[in-house]
């Protein structure tokens, strides 16, 4: 459907600079907000995650909403609040009141946002309804384990209908638009839900009919080249597609649950996995130390932290930082998170005997300069990684430990001799990801006495410590956070720490010596981030515990 270009769209197309923020272009939302204020109309920035999906699609049909540019945003007993692009259009408001049989409260919204919501919400609903009609059946849901005894067989649904293709396309593009890192498609007893992880937090996005859910899962499995007929075993796959202007890798994992198959799609955005080291969240001192580790010609560098702490991003960004045509970089991964042409990436296949340990033995015959091992998880891999570091290679790898000093104890547990650890280990990085305060709605704040006491900052008792917090705005979905930044604990293996490792000193002794050398703990690093206005007190407490104090 074509629209006549409105004056606000025309002005926005010139990309004038804002008078209050010259570094930003004048966008249609800002123009619409200024017009609303000037004319005395309330203005609303539409946040898809805060809109009631059912209300939006049920209040007005797709063609009607598209023709009149109207979205229902809130319904009460006495009135219906609608977002429109022209709240002064009394004729439209009168028609809406007559149609809904209740008063209409208009709020003004930017035309581009109204169109985006209509396209995403009504487009997804159209796909779901068409698919529901196609797959309607009177047979019970045999994927629900609670009802398994009720039937003996049923026809399986195939993802061959166009509405299913469209529905999956909507989900993928919506995830890219919202900067989601994961998409969860979860079957429940009566329906299925779609959740997306944004800035580390899961948000419920859509609900779909239970009859459609198997076909959506089949379509996702088809894209990832998985076995559509196999519904009893977990499966893993991947595919690549263009979302927006960029090509992204998507990793698919399916598992059988009590109510059917659940699928998780992890989105690997190259803009996130491949960042300059300066943008990962390092302070200047820690960045200089880390660069000295990875510029070495041989030795081992470990990155530690729990799942989802950004270890893969740090490793990929590091490899891009040191990559050049004169060196051979080989990676051993399970699975390969994202394919990069300048690396020689090898995927592990434990079922056929190609493990990390076997891969390390093989890769040493490939004349490598730098070897990245996805994870050291068993004694054989640990021993081979140490031997590779001893024979003139730089080895980068990950471990699952709570802090940097604990990595030494973990290597000892895996059977590596202390003299080998002290001889090859260059440094250890422990990391977490803290949500970053939204720059659009950041405001000054002061820590309370109780908060200062919880942080246990030396010499801070009784002082007013100024920090920042996010008030909440549409750009951050009213969470106060937008994006994430790294929190790091960088331990340099000095000669004194080498002697402690040789003597099998405790983790506490190694940590104490590192602190004497100036290492910041995760708690100290997070507090420093908070002091700089990058994150909040709540994030500091959530990410670090009291065992990680000064």
């Amino acid at each position: 459907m074509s629209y006549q270009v409105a004056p606000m769209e025309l002005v926005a197309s010139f990309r004038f600079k804002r008078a209050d923020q010259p570094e930003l272009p004048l966008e249609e939302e800002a123009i619409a907000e200024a017009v609303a204020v000037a004319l005395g109309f309330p203005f609303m920035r539409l946040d898809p995650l805060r809109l009631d999906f059912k209300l939006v699609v049920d209040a007005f049909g797709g063609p009607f909403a598209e023709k009149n540019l109207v979205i229902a945003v809130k319904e009460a007993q006495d009135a219906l609040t609608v977002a429109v692009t022209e709240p002064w259009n009394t004729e439209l408001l009168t028609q809406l009141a007559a149609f809904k049989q209740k008063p209409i409260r208009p709020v003004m919204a930017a035309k581009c946002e109204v169109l985006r919501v209509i396209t995403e919400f009504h487009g997804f609903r159209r796909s779901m309804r068409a698919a529901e009609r196609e797959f309607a059946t009177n047979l019970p849901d045999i994927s629900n384990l609670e009802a398994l005894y009720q039937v003996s067989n049923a026809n399986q649904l195939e993802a061959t209908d166009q509405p299913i293709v469209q529905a999956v396309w909507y989900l993928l593009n919506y995830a890219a638009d919202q900067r989601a890192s994961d998409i969860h498609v979860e079957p429940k007893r009566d329906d299925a839900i779609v959740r997306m992880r944004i800035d580390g937090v899961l948000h419920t996005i859509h609900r779909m009919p239970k009859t459609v859910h198997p076909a959506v899962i089949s379509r996702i499995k088809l894209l990832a080249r998985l076995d559509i007929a196999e519904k009893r075993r977990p499966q893993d796959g991947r595919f690549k597609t263009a979302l927006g202007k960029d090509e992204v890798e998507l990793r698919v994992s399916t598992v059988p649950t009590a109510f059917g198959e659940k699928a998780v799609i992890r989105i690997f955005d190259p803009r996130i996995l491949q960042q300059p080291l300066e943008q990962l969240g390092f302070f200047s001192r820690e960045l200089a130390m880390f660069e000295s580790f990875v510029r070495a010609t041989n030795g081992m560098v470990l990155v530690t932290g729990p799942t989802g702490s950004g270890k893969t991003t740090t490793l990929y960004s590091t490899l891009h930082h040191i990559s050049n045509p004169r060196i051979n970089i080989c990676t051993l991964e399970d699975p390969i998170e994202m394919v990069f042409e300048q690396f020689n990436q090898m995927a592990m296949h434990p079922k056929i005997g190609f493990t990390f340990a076997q891969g390390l033995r093989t890769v040493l015959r490939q004349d490598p300069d730098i070897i990245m091992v996805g994870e050291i998880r068993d004694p054989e891999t640990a021993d081979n990684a140490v031997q590779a570091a001893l024979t003139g290679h730089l080895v980068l790898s990950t471990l699952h430990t709570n802090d940097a000093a604990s990595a030494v104890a973990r290597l000892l547990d895996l059977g590596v001799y202390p003299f080998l650890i002290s001889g090859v280990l260059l440094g250890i990085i422990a990391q977490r990801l803290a949500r970053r305060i939204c720059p659009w709605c950041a405001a000054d704040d002061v820590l309370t006495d109780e908060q200062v006491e919880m942080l246990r900052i030396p010499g801070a008792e009784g002082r007013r410590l100024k920090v920042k917090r996010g008030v909440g705005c549409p750009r951050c979905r009213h969470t106060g956070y937008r994006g994430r930044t790294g929190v790091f604990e960088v331990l340099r293996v000095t000669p004194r720490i080498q002697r402690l490792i040789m003597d099998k000193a405790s983790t506490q002794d190694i940590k104490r010596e590192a602190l004497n050398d100036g290492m910041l703990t995760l708690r100290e690093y997070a507090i420093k981030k908070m002091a700089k206005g990058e994150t909040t007190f709540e994030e500091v407490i959530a990410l670090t515990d009291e065992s990680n104090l000064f």
Side-chain angles (χ1 to χ4, degrees), residues 236-519:
D236 293 292
R238 64 190 307 120
F239 65 99
K240 193 171 185 178
T241 187
L243 295 178
K245 298 179 181 179
D246 301 296
E247 288 189 351
V248 299
E249 295 257 357
L250 299 107
R251 198 172 76 201
V252 176
S253 173
T254 65
V255 294
T257 69
F259 299 113
E261 277 191 291
K262 176 190 174 184
V264 174
I265 305 173
R266 172 156 287 186
I267 302 172
F268 293 98
D269 190 334
R271 294 171 299 178
I272 296 176
L273 283 178
Q274 180 183 345
Q275 299 183 57
L277 293 183
E278 298 81 7
Q279 295 181 12
L280 294 180
F282 284 105
F283 294 132
S284 57
R285 178 180 178 275
E286 283 71 25
L287 177 61
M289 290 172 61
F290 183 55
E291 287 187 315
S292 71
F293 300 160
V294 299
R295 290 294 181 188
T297 56
N298 60 78
M300 178 183 287
V301 181
L302 296 176
V303 181
T304 75
T307 302
S309 61
K311 299 188 298 294
T312 300
T313 297
T314 297
L315 286 176
Y316 275 146
S317 299
T318 300
L319 293 179
H320 279 280
H321 180 72
I322 59 182
S323 174
N324 66 68
R326 297 185 299 276
I327 61 175
N328 176 20
I329 297 177
C330 298
T331 74
L332 307 173
E333 304 174 61
D334 183 21
I336 295 174
E337 306 283 15
M338 186 162 188
V339 178
F340 293 105
E341 188 175 347
Q342 57 267 55
F343 310 146
N344 298 295
Q345 296 172 275
M346 288 163 272
M348 301 298 97
H349 294 287
K351 290 182 179 180
I352 60 173
F354 190 34
T355 61
F356 281 118
Q358 176 64 40
L360 270 167
R361 288 194 294 269
T362 303
V363 81
L364 289 177
R365 297 191 286 272
Q366 291 289 314
D367 186 30
D369 296 292
I370 298 171
I371 303 170
M372 192 270 273
V373 183
E375 183 184 350
I376 295 176
R377 59 177 68 152
D378 57 69
E380 192 177 5
T381 303
D383 182 62
N384 287 333
V386 169
Q387 294 299 326
L390 281 171
T391 54
H393 306 90
L394 179 64
V395 177
L396 309 178
S397 189
T398 69
L399 277 176
H400 286 284
T401 62
N402 289 329
D403 59 10
S406 300
V408 175
R410 177 63 179 149
L411 288 178
L412 290 171
D413 290 340
L414 290 173
V416 183
Y417 293 116
F419 71 90
L420 292 179
I421 299 174
S422 65
V424 302
L425 200 56
L426 300 173
I428 307 167
I429 316 296
Q431 71 175 81
R432 302 290 189 274
L433 288 178
R435 287 189 291 174
R436 192 192 299 269
I437 295 173
C438 174
W440 304 97
C441 62
D444 292 330
D445 197 9
V446 178
L447 293 182
T448 65
D449 292 339
E450 292 79 8
Q451 290 174 330
V452 173
E453 184 179 354
M454 287 180 66
L455 293 177
R456 295 171 60 181
I457 305 173
E461 295 81 0
R463 296 176 55 188
R464 289 174 56 84
L465 299 183
K466 294 183 179 180
V467 293
K468 295 279 188 181
R469 65 181 176 88
V471 178
C473 67
R475 286 186 171 90
C476 63
R477 302 171 306 280
H478 298 278
T479 62
Y481 300 99
R482 183 178 174 89
R484 290 188 287 180
T485 183
V487 173
F488 300 95
E489 186 176 275
V490 183
L491 188 154
R492 182 196 296 273
V493 180
T494 63
R496 287 182 61 87
I497 291 179
Q498 286 179 330
R499 286 194 292 272
L500 289 174
I501 295 173
M502 289 281 290
D503 296 337
K504 292 188 177 181
S506 67
T507 297
Q508 289 76 15
D509 290 337
I510 294 174
K511 185 172 184 177
R512 188 178 300 112
E513 181 58 37
L515 292 173
N516 291 336
D517 290 337
M519 181 186 79

Side-chain angles (χ1 to χ4, degrees), residues 41 93 114-115 177 195 234 294 305 317 340 413 423 455 470 480 526 528:
F41 292 107
L93 299 180
V114 172
L115 285 172
D177 186 50
R195 298 197 292 171
V294 299
S317 299
F340 293 105
D413 290 340
L455 293 177
K528 193 173 179 181

Side-chain angles (χ1 to χ4, degrees), residues 86-363:
E86 298 179 354
W88 52 83
N89 187 341
T90 55
E91 182 180 352
L92 173 62
L93 299 180
T94 302
Q95 291 177 357
L96 295 179
F99 175 65
K100 301 303 293 184
Q101 296 294 306
K102 64 171 57 179
I104 298 296
R105 292 175 183 166
V107 296
M108 187 171 176
K111 182 177 178 181
C112 61
E113 291 297 311
V114 172
L115 285 172
R116 182 165 69 95
V117 171
I118 291 173
T119 300
E120 291 173 349
F121 282 47
H122 286 281
F124 187 79
R125 169 54 68 88
R126 280 196 296 268
S127 299
M128 287 294 98
R129 283 182 170 171
E132 189 175 16
R133 288 193 299 269
E134 177 70 18
F135 300 126
T137 176
N138 293 323
L139 292 173
D141 177 17
I142 67 167
S143 64
N144 184 339
L145 295 184
E146 293 182 323
L148 186 60
Y149 64 90
Q150 296 178 6
V151 295
S152 57
N153 54 42
N155 295 327
Q156 297 182 349
L157 303 179
E158 297 293 337
T160 57
D161 197 60
Q162 189 66 21
I164 291 298
V165 176
Q166 293 175 348
V168 174
W169 182 88
Y170 278 122
L171 291 179
L172 295 178
N173 280 272
Y174 187 81
D177 186 50
Q178 297 295 323
R179 302 176 295 105
S181 60
D182 300 86
I183 305 171
H184 294 239
V185 184
E186 304 176 0
K188 302 302 179 185
R189 181 178 290 104
D190 301 317
D191 56 10
I193 64 172
V194 178
R195 298 197 292 171
M196 295 184 185
R197 189 177 296 279
I198 304 170
D199 293 338
V201 179
L202 279 171
H203 299 264
T204 300
I205 304 297
H206 290 304
R207 289 187 176 272
M208 64 176 69
K210 192 64 180 292
T211 55
V212 175
H213 169 261
V216 171
I217 296 295
S218 293
R219 175 61 184 171
I220 293 171
K221 291 166 73 172
L222 188 66
L223 290 171
R225 289 178 287 186
L226 301 179
D227 185 354
I228 297 177
E230 180 57 75
K231 301 178 184 296
R232 300 168 300 170
R233 295 179 180 176
Q235 295 189 70
D236 293 292
R238 64 190 307 120
F239 65 99
K240 193 171 185 178
T241 187
L243 295 178
K245 298 179 181 179
D246 301 296
E247 288 189 351
V248 299
E249 295 257 357
L250 299 107
R251 198 172 76 201
V252 176
S253 173
T254 65
V255 294
T257 69
F259 299 113
E261 277 191 291
K262 176 190 174 184
V264 174
I265 305 173
R266 172 156 287 186
I267 302 172
F268 293 98
D269 190 334
R271 294 171 299 178
I272 296 176
L273 283 178
Q274 180 183 345
Q275 299 183 57
L277 293 183
E278 298 81 7
Q279 295 181 12
L280 294 180
F282 284 105
F283 294 132
S284 57
R285 178 180 178 275
E286 283 71 25
L287 177 61
M289 290 172 61
F290 183 55
E291 287 187 315
S292 71
F293 300 160
V294 299
R295 290 294 181 188
T297 56
N298 60 78
M300 178 183 287
V301 181
L302 296 176
V303 181
T304 75
T307 302
S309 61
K311 299 188 298 294
T312 300
T313 297
T314 297
L315 286 176
Y316 275 146
S317 299
T318 300
L319 293 179
H320 279 280
H321 180 72
I322 59 182
S323 174
N324 66 68
R326 297 185 299 276
I327 61 175
N328 176 20
I329 297 177
C330 298
T331 74
L332 307 173
E333 304 174 61
D334 183 21
I336 295 174
E337 306 283 15
M338 186 162 188
V339 178
F340 293 105
E341 188 175 347
Q342 57 267 55
F343 310 146
N344 298 295
Q345 296 172 275
M346 288 163 272
M348 301 298 97
H349 294 287
K351 290 182 179 180
I352 60 173
F354 190 34
T355 61
F356 281 118
Q358 176 64 40
L360 270 167
R361 288 194 294 269
T362 303
V363 81

